[in-house]
Amino acid sequence: MTTEAGSETEVKEKPEESPAEPDQSEKPLEETQEVANAKDEEAIEKVKEKDGKEGKGISRFLPTWLKKQKSQSQTSPTKEVPPTEEEDSKVTQEKQEPAPEVNGHAEEEEETEEVKTEQVKEQEAESHSNASADTEPAKEERAEESTEKSPEDSKEATEGEKAEKEDKQVEAERQAEEGQTSIFQSPLRLVRKNKMKLVVCHVTLLDGTEFTCEVEKRAKGQYLFFKVCEHLNLLEKDYFGLSYTDSHEQKCWLDPTKEIKRQIRSNNWQFGFSVKFYPPDPSLLTEDITRYLLCLQLREDVASGRLPCSFVTHALLSSYTLQAEFGDHEPDQARPLDFISQLNIAPSQNKEMEEKILELHKSHKGMTPAQADTQFLENAKKLSMYGVDLHHAKDSEGVDIMLGVCANGLLVYKDRLRVNRFAWPKILKISYKRNNFYIKIRPGETEQFESTVGFKLQNHRSAKRLWKVCVENHSFFRLSAPEPPTKARFLTLGSKFRYSGRTQSQTRMASSLIDRPAPNFERTSSKRISRSLDGAPMISITDASNENGREPHMELHSDSKQQQQPLGASEPGLSQDHDKTQEEVLKHQASISQLKRSFMEAPPPSPPKVNQWENRLTSSPATMRIQQQQVGSVPPTETTTADNTIPDTKEPEKTTEVEIEETIVIQEVSRASKPGPVLVAAVLPAEPPAEGESRECRVRSEEKVAVVEEAQPKRQESISSESESDEEAEYHPNVTVSFCHTQIPEEKEEDEEEEQEKIEKDMRKEEDSSVPDSSEQTKAEEQPREAEPKAERKTSEGVCQADDSVSDPMMTPDKALNGHALPDEAVVTPAEKEEEPKVNGEASVVEAQLCPQVICCSEPPVVKTEMVTISDTFAAQKTEIATKEVPIVHTETKTITYEAAELDGNSDKEPGVLMTAQTITSESLCTTTTTHITKTLKGGLSETRIEKRIVITGDCDIDHDQALAQAIKEAKEQHPDMSVTRVVVHKETELAEEEED
Amino acid sequence: MANVCPYGRFTHAVVRGIPETFGTTLGDGCKNAEASVDLAKAKRQFGCLTGALRQKVGLQLVEIPPDPELPDSWRMEDVAVIQGDTALITRPFRQQRRSEAEAVRRVMSELHLTVVEMGDVEGDTGGATLEGSDVLFTGREFFVGISSHTNRRGAEVLADTFRDFAVSTVPVCGGARLKNICSMGGPDTIIISNSDGAKKTLRMMEQLTDHHYEVLTVPEESAANCVYIKGPAKHDFLLHRPVEECPDSVSAFQKLQDYTLLPTACSEASKLGAVLSSHCLLIDRKHTHF
């Protein structure tokens, strides 16, 4: 997490130095704080930076175990901590050999201090909670001051992940201890970050040319997409998308809202730019350039056979292509024939075809390229397979069929025959479960009951891909706006995925406002011929646009945001006439971008987030279970056994009941050492892979507040991805709400995998009673974790950082949490899966599902995820929760749930209404709050249940306790007449890899 | 493409005379068993039909001489499916009828249509059978009735031949043929009988289509088959069964605005399970690009 976050932050904050200074200023303050936290800091430093001196201020943020380590390490003065030899060496290397690093290590050396400061900043960023953040920086500063070596806290560690990629040396160090990686490394990292790790993306455009651009490694799909659109000078971009080929040779759409890296899952940064939504009526497109691109796509579709058409039609289309590319047929000029073959117009080109094409071409005399394109589209759009995205499937009887997704709905083909069709309005729900894809059909006139039709896809990925395509197509073509928040509720389970872009109606609206002279663009083939007809089209274009009712003079404030790259320069292919109109174009683009933004930002953007959350909730088994538990949950005040050590074995107990009142279920609890009776904290050894921290705190009750803190903004993405990974997902195309979701998300494959992955690092967990701080872990990795929320959080963060650094290569998906919970299991469904025996010998693998209520694993060395469920009548108790110190080295995700006994499980099941969704983003922190309100009538009483989910994402360590407290406080303030019945804290660390899309 | 235009534009009609052996060989399930057919009357009715097509509607009529060896050869509709410039020579269910195609093939070539043989289209069309009377072309898409004479494989071949269009299969209930229970009554109008089987088929069609069709329901099944042609003068013509043959349904046709209704008797052919449209292949050669 931290690392990732750091990278983002870095990217955002290119000026490292400047930020650093402020950090320093902050540091002093922090230092003061540090005094108190000195131990922690020390520990942290030790852990993270073995070399690093003790950063007292940092300690706060750092997990207790980290602190301990530091304290030990404190003695170790400057630079690398002796403990980790590797690190030291690395550090030294880094320091000494900054140059070697590709990313400009040289700078690092000089800037080591700066780096430190930067690191500090990063740390701050990491600490999502403001206060905590401050402290961290201080630590760093101190360390730096004391010695340059002073550690970069967890951030560094996190950074280490990045660094790993970049620097092998760093990696080694990281392995030793990510956190420990000295500042030096961090500088490098920082530099890198600052410089942003760039990756070269190769995008194959529709004309067959390749567009190459550099993007940050952490860039989201959107960024690359916009880059490409800029290159193409395309404004009506919503019909298009970027695709990549996944490891299974399947073409997948790049989700613009997620990091590219997390989607492609490989180092193959190859993409294809293509039409994603085929406009049913291309004549309604505003600009000719858009139509031109659509033509290019369709030519390809026809030539490849993807869009079947008759011989005649093929010839006709080709003739329009000829006209558009080469202009009028000239009798004396036989060249077109040659070009026909060049154009690869048809798969089965033959003499007969060419002759017909030529013959038809003659009849198009006088047509401008734009007109020819228009005619091409007018004919192409009538083809029955126009815009139909086919997916292989089997029907209920196992017969091979094709499912075609299009603007109108879902088509079922058997061979070439259409055997069924489900128009969007007839579909009540779309869902998938494993490799099954279901649609629920609205009852017909003569039918009384809605029916569900199921199809079998090749595998779960295919099912998910189909489902996503359906969701997107429905949203794009049928909705006026991407699912409004209120509607978002429909998704109860599984993937939170939703269409995030503009709908067709929105994009039409936006494009009607396009006010720019028709852009010149070069037709690729004609370019070869050097016979360009571009001039003509422009005129026609403008006319067309006018026809469409665009308002020529609408001016919007240009947003600086849009980074317009020099169109001409950047784009090899399109370099032609940009000169004149460039400014205008830019302007227009800006205005458009603004429009888009307004569109996106207002309703559209928020919904997706909401959805994500919902999905999460629904999707994550754990949450599901929890909800269920709440309903029937017993209010056992009994705290679950305080420390249940669920060692190695995952416990699949499916106790339906959950718990209670004050039980904390920790999914992965290595040690359950909670002194506090109420809270049972199980600490599982964190898995090495876990990186960043993300926490989700959900407070459910009448008011449910879910706070998710993600260490890094990126986290969010990761989270989303995670949710998506769910094997199941539902989507209700129609507003109608049917909340009978009996479906329970299944465990994710990923989770399992993650679980399996464990770090061998030794984690010593001290018993609850055991002194958190005092316990020293001989190994930096070992870190005591405190059961207490705060402590845990801190520790976890620290741990996570360490983990990240260490286990960068190994990425444990945050999803693990979700996966843990089994549907059956009742309330407490900690995500714990397995804990592998670690060095400590105690591997506590606890499956939340199994463990009904409180699962305490006391000795697990490595904890990947923790899920703590506390059902309290009082929110106040929540604070009590974290008292244990558990050494957690690698923590990916942690979920803490506080619930009141009274809760009904039903509430969860019912989506309710999304009231608000807001995102507050600062450099280091990103907070997203989603509120769901569910009203249920029971007897004569109406119960209002509000569920708030708060996601906090940041690079720096976050003061989770504070954040949680704040969230609860706010919730109470907002709803004074309500009581908090449940709080779930889910913390996730960044993982390098995300789940499947 | 050019192929896609409102239904009903035709320039040519291909028919084949009534042979002396009319009714002797079982064409369909319900033939001889019933009352014997009146050959002379059948010829008269055929004459009226061709006369209406040529003189009233204004089509160019191509008449293939009857062949006594082929008693069912007058059922032209079954032998080929024509859309645009492409003629798919079908593979009738009954082996004896497959030789009927030869003459039709010749005519198609003379009209410069692209002739596609069902055998050509895909490797193994072994079991594929298709008869034109099970194919309803609406101008936008094909509906193929899966009946006793037409199977799915045959429909697949048709789909492969006319790739521009959606080809949907619908069940035909009651042993009838698709065109026996429905036909086109205009560019966007489907005439369909009121029987339960027809309703079921219609529901399926409505389910499968992306378009919206007006539906004209007639109480008698015999009235459901009409021949709609938008003549060269852009006028709407509808050949339908006369009052004597379907007394209750004629009033329904009156609803069609600005149509020229051409009552055309078909009682003898109908005894053999045929309908008005069975007699002719309608072709539009005006819009060809070739």
Side-chain angles (χ1 to χ4, degrees), chain B residues 273-289:
Chain B
V275 288
L276 279 176
S277 64
S278 299
H279 288 282
C280 57
L281 286 171
L282 298 173
I283 299 171
D284 178 18
R285 289 302 299 156
K286 193 171 49 186
H287 299 284
T288 180
H289 290 280

PDB file of all heavy atoms in Angstrom, chain B residues 273-289:
ATOM      1  N   GLY B 273     -52.694 -27.529 -50.014  1.00  0.00           N
ATOM      2  CA  GLY B 273     -51.872 -26.933 -48.957  1.00  0.00           C
ATOM      3  C   GLY B 273     -51.106 -25.719 -49.419  1.00  0.00           C
ATOM      4  O   GLY B 273     -50.248 -25.217 -48.712  1.00  0.00           O
ATOM      5  N   ALA B 274     -51.409 -25.239 -50.565  1.00  0.00           N
ATOM      6  CA  ALA B 274     -50.680 -24.082 -51.066  1.00  0.00           C
ATOM      7  C   ALA B 274     -51.444 -22.809 -50.760  1.00  0.00           C
ATOM      8  O   ALA B 274     -52.590 -22.834 -50.314  1.00  0.00           O
ATOM      9  CB  ALA B 274     -50.449 -24.216 -52.561  1.00  0.00           C
ATOM     10  N   VAL B 275     -50.792 -21.732 -50.981  1.00  0.00           N
ATOM     11  CA  VAL B 275     -51.393 -20.430 -50.729  1.00  0.00           C
ATOM     12  C   VAL B 275     -51.050 -19.510 -51.894  1.00  0.00           C
ATOM     13  O   VAL B 275     -50.378 -19.925 -52.854  1.00  0.00           O
ATOM     14  CB  VAL B 275     -50.875 -19.836 -49.409  1.00  0.00           C
ATOM     15  CG1 VAL B 275     -51.462 -20.589 -48.224  1.00  0.00           C
ATOM     16  CG2 VAL B 275     -49.363 -19.863 -49.371  1.00  0.00           C
ATOM     17  N   LEU B 276     -51.516 -18.307 -51.804  1.00  0.00           N
ATOM     18  CA  LEU B 276     -51.281 -17.369 -52.903  1.00  0.00           C
ATOM     19  C   LEU B 276     -49.810 -17.216 -53.230  1.00  0.00           C
ATOM     20  O   LEU B 276     -49.393 -17.255 -54.382  1.00  0.00           O
ATOM     21  CB  LEU B 276     -51.878 -15.999 -52.539  1.00  0.00           C
ATOM     22  CG  LEU B 276     -53.380 -15.815 -52.756  1.00  0.00           C
ATOM     23  CD1 LEU B 276     -53.798 -14.435 -52.247  1.00  0.00           C
ATOM     24  CD2 LEU B 276     -53.688 -15.949 -54.252  1.00  0.00           C
ATOM     25  N   SER B 277     -49.054 -17.017 -52.198  1.00  0.00           N
ATOM     26  CA  SER B 277     -47.647 -16.717 -52.451  1.00  0.00           C
ATOM     27  C   SER B 277     -46.874 -17.920 -52.976  1.00  0.00           C
ATOM     28  O   SER B 277     -45.756 -17.766 -53.462  1.00  0.00           O
ATOM     29  CB  SER B 277     -46.986 -16.208 -51.166  1.00  0.00           C
ATOM     30  OG  SER B 277     -46.993 -17.227 -50.184  1.00  0.00           O
ATOM     31  N   SER B 278     -47.494 -19.071 -52.881  1.00  0.00           N
ATOM     32  CA  SER B 278     -46.785 -20.264 -53.337  1.00  0.00           C
ATOM     33  C   SER B 278     -46.485 -20.220 -54.822  1.00  0.00           C
ATOM     34  O   SER B 278     -45.557 -20.849 -55.299  1.00  0.00           O
ATOM     35  CB  SER B 278     -47.633 -21.508 -53.045  1.00  0.00           C
ATOM     36  OG  SER B 278     -47.853 -21.641 -51.662  1.00  0.00           O
ATOM     37  N   HIS B 279     -47.287 -19.466 -55.515  1.00  0.00           N
ATOM     38  CA  HIS B 279     -47.195 -19.501 -56.964  1.00  0.00           C
ATOM     39  C   HIS B 279     -46.024 -18.733 -57.541  1.00  0.00           C
ATOM     40  O   HIS B 279     -45.658 -18.950 -58.689  1.00  0.00           O
ATOM     41  CB  HIS B 279     -48.488 -18.945 -57.573  1.00  0.00           C
ATOM     42  CG  HIS B 279     -49.653 -19.864 -57.412  1.00  0.00           C
ATOM     43  ND1 HIS B 279     -49.847 -20.966 -58.203  1.00  0.00           N
ATOM     44  CD2 HIS B 279     -50.693 -19.842 -56.554  1.00  0.00           C
ATOM     45  CE1 HIS B 279     -50.960 -21.599 -57.840  1.00  0.00           C
ATOM     46  NE2 HIS B 279     -51.488 -20.931 -56.835  1.00  0.00           N
ATOM     47  N   CYS B 280     -45.523 -17.809 -56.815  1.00  0.00           N
ATOM     48  CA  CYS B 280     -44.578 -16.915 -57.483  1.00  0.00           C
ATOM     49  C   CYS B 280     -43.339 -16.615 -56.658  1.00  0.00           C
ATOM     50  O   CYS B 280     -43.353 -16.636 -55.433  1.00  0.00           O
ATOM     51  CB  CYS B 280     -45.273 -15.609 -57.853  1.00  0.00           C
ATOM     52  SG  CYS B 280     -46.011 -14.782 -56.453  1.00  0.00           S
ATOM     53  N   LEU B 281     -42.297 -16.345 -57.406  1.00  0.00           N
ATOM     54  CA  LEU B 281     -41.074 -15.808 -56.808  1.00  0.00           C
ATOM     55  C   LEU B 281     -41.011 -14.342 -57.210  1.00  0.00           C
ATOM     56  O   LEU B 281     -41.101 -14.011 -58.392  1.00  0.00           O
ATOM     57  CB  LEU B 281     -39.858 -16.544 -57.356  1.00  0.00           C
ATOM     58  CG  LEU B 281     -39.617 -17.968 -56.832  1.00  0.00           C
ATOM     59  CD1 LEU B 281     -38.512 -18.632 -57.646  1.00  0.00           C
ATOM     60  CD2 LEU B 281     -39.249 -17.915 -55.362  1.00  0.00           C
ATOM     61  N   LEU B 282     -40.878 -13.503 -56.226  1.00  0.00           N
ATOM     62  CA  LEU B 282     -40.837 -12.072 -56.516  1.00  0.00           C
ATOM     63  C   LEU B 282     -39.390 -11.586 -56.472  1.00  0.00           C
ATOM     64  O   LEU B 282     -38.619 -11.940 -55.580  1.00  0.00           O
ATOM     65  CB  LEU B 282     -41.682 -11.303 -55.503  1.00  0.00           C
ATOM     66  CG  LEU B 282     -43.172 -11.685 -55.517  1.00  0.00           C
ATOM     67  CD1 LEU B 282     -43.918 -11.004 -54.375  1.00  0.00           C
ATOM     68  CD2 LEU B 282     -43.799 -11.308 -56.867  1.00  0.00           C
ATOM     69  N   ILE B 283     -39.071 -10.802 -57.438  1.00  0.00           N
ATOM     70  CA  ILE B 283     -37.678 -10.372 -57.594  1.00  0.00           C
ATOM     71  C   ILE B 283     -37.636  -8.864 -57.801  1.00  0.00           C
ATOM     72  O   ILE B 283     -38.507  -8.292 -58.456  1.00  0.00           O
ATOM     73  CB  ILE B 283     -37.035 -11.058 -58.810  1.00  0.00           C
ATOM     74  CG1 ILE B 283     -37.057 -12.582 -58.607  1.00  0.00           C
ATOM     75  CG2 ILE B 283     -35.610 -10.584 -59.024  1.00  0.00           C
ATOM     76  CD1 ILE B 283     -36.650 -13.355 -59.831  1.00  0.00           C
ATOM     77  N   ASP B 284     -36.634  -8.286 -57.248  1.00  0.00           N
ATOM     78  CA  ASP B 284     -36.434  -6.860 -57.460  1.00  0.00           C
ATOM     79  C   ASP B 284     -35.097  -6.673 -58.162  1.00  0.00           C
ATOM     80  O   ASP B 284     -34.044  -6.802 -57.562  1.00  0.00           O
ATOM     81  CB  ASP B 284     -36.450  -6.120 -56.127  1.00  0.00           C
ATOM     82  CG  ASP B 284     -36.206  -4.637 -56.326  1.00  0.00           C
ATOM     83  OD1 ASP B 284     -36.372  -4.168 -57.466  1.00  0.00           O
ATOM     84  OD2 ASP B 284     -35.855  -3.975 -55.342  1.00  0.00           O
ATOM     85  N   ARG B 285     -35.178  -6.372 -59.398  1.00  0.00           N
ATOM     86  CA  ARG B 285     -33.929  -6.209 -60.152  1.00  0.00           C
ATOM     87  C   ARG B 285     -33.626  -4.752 -60.436  1.00  0.00           C
ATOM     88  O   ARG B 285     -32.693  -4.422 -61.145  1.00  0.00           O
ATOM     89  CB  ARG B 285     -34.040  -6.954 -61.487  1.00  0.00           C
ATOM     90  CG  ARG B 285     -34.031  -8.428 -61.344  1.00  0.00           C
ATOM     91  CD  ARG B 285     -32.772  -8.890 -60.644  1.00  0.00           C
ATOM     92  NE  ARG B 285     -31.565  -8.532 -61.380  1.00  0.00           N
ATOM     93  CZ  ARG B 285     -30.374  -8.395 -60.821  1.00  0.00           C
ATOM     94  NH1 ARG B 285     -30.240  -8.535 -59.531  1.00  0.00           N
ATOM     95  NH2 ARG B 285     -29.333  -8.095 -61.536  1.00  0.00           N
ATOM     96  N   LYS B 286     -34.406  -3.918 -59.894  1.00  0.00           N
ATOM     97  CA  LYS B 286     -34.244  -2.519 -60.238  1.00  0.00           C
ATOM     98  C   LYS B 286     -33.081  -1.888 -59.482  1.00  0.00           C
ATOM     99  O   LYS B 286     -32.410  -0.985 -59.965  1.00  0.00           O
ATOM    100  CB  LYS B 286     -35.540  -1.778 -59.881  1.00  0.00           C
ATOM    101  CG  LYS B 286     -35.621  -0.396 -60.461  1.00  0.00           C
ATOM    102  CD  LYS B 286     -37.014   0.155 -60.228  1.00  0.00           C
ATOM    103  CE  LYS B 286     -37.438  -0.014 -58.778  1.00  0.00           C
ATOM    104  NZ  LYS B 286     -38.837   0.384 -58.550  1.00  0.00           N
ATOM    105  N   HIS B 287     -32.873  -2.376 -58.316  1.00  0.00           N
ATOM    106  CA  HIS B 287     -31.910  -1.697 -57.462  1.00  0.00           C
ATOM    107  C   HIS B 287     -30.538  -2.349 -57.480  1.00  0.00           C
ATOM    108  O   HIS B 287     -29.716  -2.116 -56.636  1.00  0.00           O
ATOM    109  CB  HIS B 287     -32.424  -1.669 -56.030  1.00  0.00           C
ATOM    110  CG  HIS B 287     -33.715  -0.934 -55.926  1.00  0.00           C
ATOM    111  ND1 HIS B 287     -33.791   0.425 -55.958  1.00  0.00           N
ATOM    112  CD2 HIS B 287     -34.981  -1.376 -55.815  1.00  0.00           C
ATOM    113  CE1 HIS B 287     -35.047   0.799 -55.856  1.00  0.00           C
ATOM    114  NE2 HIS B 287     -35.800  -0.270 -55.768  1.00  0.00           N
ATOM    115  N   THR B 288     -30.369  -3.139 -58.445  1.00  0.00           N
ATOM    116  CA  THR B 288     -29.088  -3.835 -58.452  1.00  0.00           C
ATOM    117  C   THR B 288     -27.945  -2.892 -58.756  1.00  0.00           C
ATOM    118  O   THR B 288     -28.092  -1.883 -59.428  1.00  0.00           O
ATOM    119  CB  THR B 288     -29.112  -4.941 -59.497  1.00  0.00           C
ATOM    120  OG1 THR B 288     -27.853  -5.589 -59.467  1.00  0.00           O
ATOM    121  CG2 THR B 288     -29.328  -4.355 -60.877  1.00  0.00           C
ATOM    122  N   HIS B 289     -26.862  -3.254 -58.246  1.00  0.00           N
ATOM    123  CA  HIS B 289     -25.680  -2.459 -58.535  1.00  0.00           C
ATOM    124  C   HIS B 289     -24.841  -3.105 -59.604  1.00  0.00           C
ATOM    125  O   HIS B 289     -23.776  -2.629 -59.937  1.00  0.00           O
ATOM    126  CB  HIS B 289     -24.847  -2.301 -57.277  1.00  0.00           C
ATOM    127  CG  HIS B 289     -25.502  -1.423 -56.275  1.00  0.00           C
ATOM    128  ND1 HIS B 289     -25.463  -0.068 -56.349  1.00  0.00           N
ATOM    129  CD2 HIS B 289     -26.247  -1.722 -55.197  1.00  0.00           C
ATOM    130  CE1 HIS B 289     -26.141   0.441 -55.330  1.00  0.00           C
ATOM    131  NE2 HIS B 289     -26.623  -0.539 -54.615  1.00  0.00           N
TER     132      HIS B 289
END
